[in-house]
Amino acid sequence: MPIYCDPNPRLGALGGIIGGHVRAVDNLAVAARILVEDPTEMLVVIGPGAYIDDALAFTAGLRLERPATGVILLRDKVDVWLLNQALQCGVREVVGLGDDWALHTACERSRMVSARMLGGTAAPPPAERGPEGEIITVFAPKGGVGKTTLATNLGVVLAGNGHHVCVVDLDIAAGDIAISVQLDPVRTLVDAVSMAGHLDTTGAASLLTQYRPGLQMLLAPVTPSDAEKVNAALVSELLGVLRTMFEYVVVDTASYLNEHMLAAMDLSARLVLIATPDVPSLKNLRVTQDTLDLLSFPRANRYIVLNRADSNVGLSPDDVLRVLRAPIAAQIPSSRAVPLSINKGTPITLSNRDHAVSRAIARFADEYLLSAPPVGRGGPGANDAPAGPGGPGAPGAAGDGGGGLLARRRDRRKTTA
């Protein structure tokens, strides 16, 4: 039963948006008392009428006493200062009043994080790593920032360096890779469902579509309803097999964290997080970073790519760094050539290798994906960002050992018990 706290707690439609049987209270003291009486409650939504200082103090205290309980802050206006203050105190997400979809998805994400932290969901153990295979997951917590374009072009660049590469479209319900490179797949990810539990390299190979020499693709289902047939266990099984077949498996994902995305991240040697220089995108990426911290996913595995970095949208480089509180591994410039390349169905790194965008992507791949060998997730300093090609504090690379997100979460609970 989630708690909604506001001095004038008129729920109305908010009850359905938050989900569950919502308990409305008019002050944070009452909310705190309910949490003491009900140790199973894992979600508090603080409305726009609550004083911000009180909301932040409440959240900071809750983070120490009940780290698995999530707080969503609903505000009339969201700005950089508020995001920084809220996220520093442990607020999971800040949502603008009136953005019902953002509030609903924020509540769902918070519930999922809480369940994972408490061991409420099970995840399959990662498959054994092949001798060379490395999974790179590309994720953006907001649509329209160029995630699919980056994933596709990274696949082209890695293959162009002589490597055997597979690009996987894990945006199961709305994947765009096939249409963006003008492929008409005979088989897709959904065809793996019948092989679940006994998938081998022969079966996995039958699902692939050849794009060019050295680069194959596993494409998303054509029918969105097929997404329901693909579960997280199958994603883990499939990626585990693919990384024994390819040197690099680049995974494009949906723009929200769910069990499929976490299964891919569990097996990933490196995680590429992409954003654009606007407040909603940066806020969502910061929330994602904090969520991955809660799930004990090492920062050493993560690389932030700022797309359309030169856009004049009123945010300075200092503003971007202040929100993200993490180094930026690569900055990709804005260019009309990118949507033109998508409309033509040819990745820009293939059609114009000398373009500034192509050079930025190739430089990122060379400095962070090809040059630096992965380090073990569970090794010393795995949760610290080592110095790399981007200078002191830039994120390093990490390998596939360590037992996955849930294993790391269990280890974290042991050390903090």
Side-chain angles (χ1 to χ4, degrees), residues 5-227:
C5 180
D6 192 271
N8 299 298
R10 293 188 294 271
L11 271 174
L14 279 178
I17 295 166
I18 294 171
H21 183 64
V22 182
R23 289 178 281 196
V25 300
D26 61 5
N27 66 79
L28 290 166
V30 176
R33 187 167 63 248
I34 292 175
L35 290 174
V36 170
E37 296 170 352
D38 184 0
T40 65
E41 183 49 64
M42 291 293 118
L43 177 62
V44 180
V45 178
I46 302 178
Y51 288 117
I52 186 61
D53 290 344
D54 293 340
L56 297 181
F58 172 85
T59 307
L62 197 62
R63 180 171 61 175
L64 296 175
E65 298 170 4
R66 294 177 52 157
T69 300
V71 174
I72 307 296
L73 190 58
L74 193 59
R75 295 280 103 179
D76 292 310
K77 181 182 178 182
V78 179
D79 56 28
V80 172
W81 178 87
L82 175 62
L83 289 173
N84 274 322
Q85 296 299 312
L87 295 173
Q88 285 175 21
C89 290
V91 174
R92 285 195 182 161
E93 301 204 31
V94 183
V95 180
L97 184 64
D99 194 343
D100 295 346
W101 174 248
L103 177 59
H104 174 74
T105 54
C107 292
E108 290 303 304
R109 279 193 294 267
S110 182
R111 289 186 178 96
M112 181 185 68
V113 170
S114 296
R116 300 271 298 204
M117 291 180 71
L118 293 172
T121 59
E128 291 298 320
R129 184 177 178 183
E132 295 180 301
E134 185 173 304
I135 296 174
I136 301 166
T137 293
V138 181
F139 180 76
K142 180 179 179 295
V145 301
K147 170 181 55 63
T148 295
T149 299
L150 179 61
T152 304
N153 280 280
L154 281 176
V156 170
V157 169
L158 293 170
N161 277 272
H163 298 286
H164 196 201
V165 181
C166 179
V167 174
V168 178
D169 193 344
L170 199 57
D171 189 351
I172 303 172
D176 289 329
I177 286 184
I179 195 170
S180 69
V181 296
Q182 297 185 355
L183 285 177
D184 186 14
V186 175
R187 305 192 77 188
T188 68
L189 200 151
V190 74
D191 293 296
V193 171
S194 61
M195 295 181 267
H198 52 85
L199 187 67
D200 57 15
T201 56
T202 302
S206 71
L207 306 173
L208 303 177
T209 302
Q210 180 80 27
Y211 180 58
R212 55 182 290 101
L215 179 56
Q216 298 193 62
M217 296 188 173
L218 176 54
L219 301 170
V222 177
T223 305
S225 61
D226 284 339

